[in-house]
Amino acid sequence: MTRTYEQLIPRAEREKLELALEMGQGYVLDLSDRTFNDFFYERLGIDPETEGRLFNGRGTSKAKRLRSFIERAPASLIAKLLRELWNYRGSIATRATTPADQVLEASYFITVGRFEGVSQDIDSSVIESFEPSETLDELVASIRRDLDAKKPHAALDRLHTY
């Protein structure tokens, strides 16, 4: 059984992915219908017009066609596409990078890693207190819990707070 887009990408990651690719109104970045098709052909060698089985099923907007592609294409091809879209996004960006953009990028590449089969396991055993301190020991324990729960952003926030 094929998994849906919503099953493949957890909600928080999906929201950031769609924000990064500006999919809110049915678009994908600044791509028109023609340039969307050209993008797939030039970057992946896939013609959306002749490979409709990968793109049909959710609707005709570019965002819906991209969601269909993510549901139906092989994981390695999805990862390649997402990397190409990120590179393209960088080529059209005209504003300075903000800390929010860095968080968005980190989440985006967690999603890419999901399709590349990269494990998100983090070895928290290497984190240790650098001096005897009850507060520091509590912080280290809290960071370990966050990492073990696969919440690296929360762990990083705790570290920044310290």
Side-chain angles (χ1 to χ4, degrees):
M1 182 177 166
T2 305
R3 295 180 63 193
T4 67
Y5 172 73
E6 292 78 11
Q7 292 169 326
L8 289 168
I9 307 172
R11 177 181 288 283
E13 283 180 40
R14 196 169 61 241
E15 288 173 355
K16 289 191 173 81
L17 173 84
E18 293 196 5
L19 181 63
L21 298 178
E22 301 172 15
M23 294 170 63
Q25 300 296 318
Y27 295 96
V28 175
L29 299 170
D30 68 347
L31 298 171
S32 67
D33 288 336
R34 182 185 55 79
T35 58
F36 180 85
N37 289 349
D38 289 349
F39 187 89
F40 272 87
Y41 187 75
E42 292 167 3
R43 308 288 175 109
L44 301 177
I46 295 173
D47 182 357
E49 296 299 317
T50 60
E51 294 290 333
R53 64 182 174 77
L54 293 173
F55 297 90
N56 297 334
R58 287 188 162 251
T60 59
S61 76
K62 287 167 285 300
K64 288 179 180 178
R65 292 170 66 209
L66 177 58
R67 290 181 192 109
S68 289
F69 181 83
I70 290 172
E71 286 178 342
R72 297 163 185 212
S76 60
L77 201 54
I78 296 166
K80 182 176 181 182
L81 169 69
L82 293 176
R83 287 187 177 282
E84 292 290 340
L85 284 168
W86 186 265
N87 291 338
Y88 177 73
R89 179 185 188 268
S91 73
I92 60 173
T94 58
R95 58 185 168 81
T97 302
T98 66
D101 292 329
Q102 293 170 340
V103 170
L104 191 66
E105 180 178 11
S107 177
Y108 187 91
F109 282 99
I110 286 172
T111 303
V112 172
R114 178 179 306 283
F115 290 104
E116 290 175 333
V118 175
S119 171
Q120 294 299 318
D121 294 334
I122 299 171
D123 181 9
S124 63
S125 66
V126 298
I127 300 171
E128 58 186 48
S129 300
F130 53 86
E131 65 181 41
S133 166
E134 185 176 325
T135 304
L136 186 56
D137 290 339
E138 289 174 16
L139 175 66
V140 167
S142 178
I143 290 171
R144 280 190 181 136
R145 282 191 303 273
D146 288 337
L147 292 175
D148 291 343
K150 301 205 184 312
K151 297 179 180 176
H153 293 97
L156 191 58
D157 284 345
R158 290 187 195 283
L159 187 60
H160 284 251
T161 302
Y162 181 74

